[in-house]
Amino acid sequence: MTRGPTLPAHHPPQLPRPLDAFNAACATEARALLLRCLHSPRWSHRIAAHRPYPDLDALLAAADEAAYDLSPADISEALSHECLPRLPEDTYSAAHMALDAAHAAYEARFGHVFVIYLGDTAPSETADRVLEAIRSRSANDPDEERAIAADELRRLARGRLGTYLRGAGNCATSPNAPTSGR
């Protein structure tokens, strides 16, 4: 029996990776995405201006570098758009009350919202980790806490950006989603 020519293997069409879409987006769209990851116009302009990035690691390195260069005013602006991380729905009301009280004391002491990166924290441990961190960091002097908050902002931005560009959602659906204000 003679067989006809072998058909080429079927390969589904290659969809653009999120990084490709980010690199190809207009500057306004790229900055808008970046602002959802960290609300700092200076940071978003700097990262968007250096596109295209060859890979996610290069983009994340650039995001880190840009975050390290934020001025105190940039950090204040970014902090003003953050909120406490959402607790799992089944968290006891007593934990919510304790967290609200600790956060109020923290904010009164430092003048800004408490920020913490929780990307590696199990949802069942979120309340305990946040409460312990607020209590621990409330003992810091204001300059030390400002430096820690800036580093947490950098980690949050990196985590949000990585989540989006790995195709797992968008910056607004990451564990520490920012808000449009307080």
Side-chain angles (χ1 to χ4, degrees):
M1 171 191 288
T2 317
R3 294 179 59 177
T6 305
L7 294 174
H10 175 72
H11 297 287
Q14 189 73 324
L15 297 175
R17 298 176 306 152
L19 179 60
D20 296 333
F22 174 76
N23 281 332
C26 72
T28 303
E29 289 176 14
R31 286 191 304 264
L33 165 80
L34 292 164
L35 285 171
R36 289 193 309 262
C37 296
L38 178 68
H39 193 89
S40 169
R42 181 173 176 228
W43 180 82
S44 68
H45 279 87
R46 184 170 170 191
I47 296 167
H50 287 91
R51 292 173 304 144
Y53 293 96
D55 56 40
L56 182 58
D57 288 338
L59 173 59
L60 294 177
D64 278 350
E65 182 181 333
Y68 284 123
D69 291 341
L70 293 177
S71 70
D74 295 325
I75 293 169
S76 291
E77 182 172 13
L79 284 168
S80 73
H81 288 268
E82 293 292 330
C83 64
L84 280 173
R86 292 184 199 104
L87 297 180
E89 289 185 25
D90 62 346
T91 303
Y92 291 110
S93 62
H96 284 279
M97 288 175 31
L99 188 58
D100 288 345
H103 182 259
Y106 176 94
E107 195 165 359
R109 175 161 165 70
F110 297 111
H112 59 81
V113 69
F114 177 81
V115 291
I116 186 170
Y117 175 71
L118 294 170
D120 55 354
T121 302
S124 62
E125 298 172 8
T126 299
D128 289 338
R129 176 141 183 242
V130 172
L131 190 55
E132 185 277 325
I134 284 181
R135 289 177 176 161
S136 171
R137 287 173 43 194
S138 289
N140 293 338
D141 69 65
D143 290 336
E144 179 183 13
E145 183 53 29
R146 188 75 161 184
I148 292 169
D151 191 52
E152 291 297 316
L153 282 172
R154 180 193 58 77
R155 294 178 69 210
L156 285 166
R158 179 184 176 89
R160 292 169 180 156
L161 194 52
T163 296
Y164 175 74
L165 292 175
R166 285 184 186 96
N170 64 51
C171 293
T173 61
S174 70
N176 288 101
T179 62
S180 58
R182 290 214 18 146

